[in-house]
């Protein structure tokens, strides 16, 4: 139980600091640290990430930095394909799922180490209206948000991740939102997608063990700590540290699957 608390707090802390890291680390924490299989870890990871992200989203709503209409729209498009991801996770062999998961983690680690090229706001499909301060719902912008939500929902159901590792870079690339707004909006979307995916997994017969519930509660505590610390840590240092940690965890999972 102590290990579940420690790993849960670290997962929630990562999610609270980056708005993207918790989901990608929750499954490895459960698989490597607590001996879960990928299939058993998926519903626990989804519930932990969803509950923790919900706390972060509520904090963002209180501060008026969440683009809740965009988050709810992306959540709907994500929910439409989440069940497909759940079915894929049950159909693929364990080694295939792990290999896919590791490949995604290494890709993310590489992307986060690089400085993204600056994109002029005038060429982003999701732009704010300077007069109202709200997103302009143009056809291109709407399709872009729908695509982000759909991809996040697919990976949530298939790999037990909240999708933040896709949502945050995508919103940075295709919108002119501030980073604080992106993280808060990402947390709301992660909460909506993860909790809906968790419900679907439970409906398919998944069971949350006692250690899983402890992990969930600890992740929520880690989220509270992370949201308090985030404003005081340079974003560059956070990205570098998370990138290195992600690569180490990915290689550890690969070694565990194929060598031991």
């Amino acid at each position: 139980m102590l290990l579940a608390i420690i790993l849960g707090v670290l997962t929630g802390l990562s999610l609270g600091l980056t708005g993207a890291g918790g989901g990608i680390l929750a499954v490895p924490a459960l698989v490597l640290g607590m001996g879960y299989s990928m299939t058993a870890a998926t519903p626990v990871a989804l519930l932990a990430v969803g509950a923790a992200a919900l706390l972060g989203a509520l904090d963002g709503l209180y501060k008026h930095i969440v683009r809740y209409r965009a988050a709810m729209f992306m959540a709907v498009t994500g929910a439409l394909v989440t069940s497909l991801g759940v079915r894929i996770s049950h159909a693929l062999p364990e080694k295939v799922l792990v290999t896919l998961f590791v490949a995604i983690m290494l890709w993310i680690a590489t992307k986060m180490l690089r400085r993204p090229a600056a994109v002029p706001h005038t060429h982003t499909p999701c732009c704010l209206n300077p007069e109202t301060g709200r997103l302009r719902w143009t056809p291109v912008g709407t399709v872009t948000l729908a695509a982000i939500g759909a991809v996040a929902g697919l990976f949530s159901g298939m790999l037990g991740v909240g999708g933040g590792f896709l949502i945050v870079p995508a919103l940075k690339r295709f919108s002119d939102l501030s980073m604080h707004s992106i993280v808060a909006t990402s947390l709301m979307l992660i909460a909506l997608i993860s909790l809906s995916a968790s419900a679907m997994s439970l409906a398919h017969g998944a069971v949350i063990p006692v250690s899983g519930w402890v992990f969930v509660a600890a992740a929520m505590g880690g989220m509270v700590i992370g949201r308090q610390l985030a404003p005081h840590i340079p974003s560059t240092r956070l990205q570098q540290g998370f990138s290195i940690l992600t690569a180490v965890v990915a290689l550890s999972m690969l070694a565990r699957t194929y060598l031991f």
Side-chain angles (χ1 to χ4, degrees), residues 26-231:
V27 170
L30 292 166
V31 173
L32 294 176
M34 300 176 64
Y36 282 49
S37 67
M38 279 287 291
T39 303
T42 296
V44 178
L46 286 169
L47 187 59
V49 170
L54 180 60
L55 289 180
L58 291 175
D59 176 66
L61 285 170
Y62 176 76
K63 296 176 181 177
H64 304 288
I65 58 175
V66 176
R67 299 293 165 177
Y68 60 90
R69 292 183 181 86
M72 288 188 290
F73 175 71
M74 288 187 287
V76 170
T77 61
L80 294 176
V81 297
T82 297
S83 59
L84 173 61
V86 173
R87 288 196 293 270
I88 292 174
S89 72
H90 287 280
L92 292 177
E94 179 93 359
K95 284 190 175 182
V96 174
L97 277 177
V98 172
T99 303
L100 177 61
F101 194 79
V102 166
I104 293 172
M105 291 181 74
L106 291 176
W107 176 76
I108 292 166
T110 302
K111 294 290 287 184
M112 291 190 73
L113 278 176
R114 298 175 180 172
R115 286 183 176 272
V119 178
H121 291 336
T122 54
H123 293 94
T124 55
C126 305
C127 292
L128 294 173
N129 186 329
E131 296 180 0
T132 63
R134 296 180 178 180
L135 282 174
R136 288 174 170 161
W137 287 87
T138 63
V140 175
T142 301
V143 171
T144 301
L145 292 175
I148 294 172
V151 174
L154 178 66
F155 279 101
S156 295
M158 187 167 60
L159 300 175
V161 297
F165 65 92
L166 293 171
I167 299 165
V168 171
L171 288 179
K172 285 177 67 176
R173 172 63 179 82
F174 297 113
S175 79
D176 59 354
L177 298 176
S178 70
M179 193 59 199
H180 288 295
S181 182
I182 287 173
V183 170
T185 304
S186 173
L187 288 175
M188 182 173 181
L189 178 54
I190 290 169
L192 294 171
I193 291 179
S194 297
L195 292 177
S196 63
S198 176
M200 290 182 184
S201 293
L202 293 174
H204 280 79
V207 177
I208 307 293
V210 175
S211 60
W213 288 111
V214 174
F215 183 86
V216 172
M220 296 174 70
M223 165 60 72
V224 174
I225 298 172
R227 295 310 294 156
Q228 295 298 317
L229 293 177

